[in-house]
Amino acid sequence: MRAARLIKMVLLLQSRPSMTAAELAAELEVSERTVTRDALALSEAGVPVYADRGRAGGYRLVGGYRTRLTGLERGEAEALFLSGLPGALRDMGLADAASSARLKVSAALLPSLRDAPVSAARRFHLDAPGWYQEPETPELLAPIAEAVWDDLMVRARYRRGDTEVERELAPYGLVLKAGVWYVCARAGSSFRTYRVDRFTAVAVGGERFVREEDFDLSAFWEERAAEFARSILRAEVVVRLTDAGARRLPYVTDRAAAEEALAAGVSGDAADGVAAGGEGYVTVTLPVESEEVAFSQLFGLGPEAEVLAPASLRERFAEAARRTAALYR
């Protein structure tokens, strides 16, 4: 415990020109008296810790006592400190390790690059969860992250609909998508994706699995995400859109499906459609998850969209329009 604290104290002093006893005490979570004793212990061990007396005094290292990463350029150093997601690391139980790593790198940087962490933090911040939702950390995320990190097999129970299934998995990687955690794992001879919050039990064993060297987590996720997006679009609707409606369509429904539909759409004249103010229109065949979902998505376009088919969905929009008009009569 004390050895780790002494190492951290040295790294802190390497990363800054000088630190007061109060600053060191806060960083190390000890008393200022303990800082004084630790500084004395380091000095006796041959680490050149020097104490400046007085109100503006503090502790510093003398004699160039530091290890330097001389190969890093400023852009590389700043990019290094963009690679971590503080919230995600905390959820996986890796926050302490990440903090220690950043401290070690900061301490090893050349003085001219010492402000790289601050420079990056001032300019970029990643907020992974989506709007209007309170992200929850899955209860079993930490043990799954441990298994991913150490290439350990897990035996897990997974909630699928109203039933639970048991699987033996080789967890290759974790993905955080819009505040939701997924694990990409090999089950038998195939790779699958599981939502972490649907695991009801996870037992991490001592058996290690051998990773397939050509497995690319990023490429795998991109492919599966595209497959999933396509798989849920099981119905089609025909919609006539004004120019404004066409511009807004990708923001209210699946973006890829909307862009493909617009690219294949048939343009027309305003006189033949719902468009007003001299605008033209485009008629598209749009893949959707269901009529229910299509209604909730396209209703937000208001008069910028006219559903032409299927007839049941068109009638639903007509009824909604009548009710809306009655409210504002």
Side-chain angles (χ1 to χ4, degrees):
M1 179 75 176
R2 190 189 186 198
R5 188 175 72 242
L6 292 174
I7 292 173
K8 185 173 182 180
M9 183 173 178
V10 173
L11 292 172
L12 284 167
L13 292 174
Q14 281 186 199
S15 66
R16 308 178 194 180
S18 177
M19 294 184 71
T20 66
E23 291 171 338
L24 283 168
E27 290 280 0
L28 300 173
E29 299 181 346
V30 295
S31 66
E32 292 185 31
R33 180 169 295 183
T34 298
V35 168
T36 301
R37 289 198 298 265
D38 286 350
L40 180 60
L42 287 171
S43 181
E44 291 174 349
V47 178
V49 179
Y50 180 80
D52 291 315
R53 305 298 178 184
R55 176 173 296 181
Y59 293 91
R60 59 186 175 89
L61 292 173
V62 296
Y65 189 89
R66 61 175 50 88
T67 301
R68 294 178 175 176
L69 295 179
T70 56
L72 284 179
E73 299 177 357
R74 168 164 292 278
E76 295 170 332
E78 291 176 342
L80 178 64
F81 286 90
L82 290 176
S83 61
L85 307 179
L89 291 169
R90 182 182 61 249
D91 292 345
M92 290 188 290
L94 299 175
D96 290 343
S99 176
S100 176
R102 285 192 294 270
L103 175 59
K104 290 177 180 178
V105 174
S106 296
L109 289 174
L110 288 168
S112 60
L113 302 179
R114 199 63 52 75
D115 67 335
V118 175
S119 174
R122 284 176 175 173
R123 290 167 172 80
F124 302 99
H125 172 69
L126 177 61
D127 184 9
W131 290 101
Y132 313 120
Q133 64 180 19
E134 188 67 29
E136 294 184 3
T137 302
E139 182 180 351
L140 298 174
L141 176 61
I144 293 175
E146 175 190 352
V148 168
W149 192 255
D150 293 331
D151 294 344
L152 294 172
M153 296 292 296
V154 301
R155 183 169 292 277
R157 292 189 64 82
Y158 187 76
R159 189 173 64 255
R160 179 178 291 170
D162 296 330
T163 63
E164 287 188 2
V165 296
E166 188 168 310
R167 293 285 186 270
E168 188 173 42
L169 305 173
Y172 270 58
L174 284 163
V175 175
L176 177 61
K177 169 69 171 178
V180 179
W181 285 96
Y182 299 85
V183 60
C184 302
R186 189 180 67 216
S189 60
S190 62
F191 286 91
R192 299 183 180 180
T193 302
Y194 303 86
R195 276 185 61 144
V196 175
D197 58 5
R198 292 181 183 170
F199 284 103
T200 58
V202 171
V204 181
E207 179 187 356
R208 294 183 181 275
F209 63 89
V210 179
R211 285 178 171 265
E212 296 183 15
E213 293 299 326
D214 60 350
F215 178 82
D216 185 326
L217 178 61
S218 177
F220 172 79
W221 174 259
E222 184 176 354
E223 179 184 348
R224 290 303 170 90
E227 288 179 1
F228 174 76
R230 289 192 299 269
S231 70
I232 64 173
L233 303 179
R234 302 185 180 93
E236 287 184 345
V237 298
V238 180
V239 189
R240 185 155 48 192
L241 301 158
T242 65
D243 291 344
R247 288 193 299 270
R248 290 167 53 190
L249 184 65
Y251 299 97
V252 300
T253 186
D254 181 84
R255 177 178 289 274
E259 290 175 349
E260 289 179 9
L262 289 168
V266 178
S267 299
D269 192 290
D272 300 322
V274 296
E279 286 188 324
Y281 69 85
V282 60
T283 300
V284 301
T285 300
L286 179 68
V288 294
E289 186 174 345
S290 65
E291 286 191 22
E292 182 71 28
V293 172
F295 178 80
S296 63
Q297 292 175 336
L298 298 176
F299 193 77
L301 296 180
E304 309 302 332
E306 178 189 5
V307 173
L308 304 179
S312 56
L313 183 59
R314 179 178 174 85
E315 177 54 35
R316 185 169 181 178
F317 270 92
E319 175 60 22
R322 285 191 291 269
R323 294 175 59 190
T324 303
L327 289 175
Y328 292 95
R329 186 169 297 161

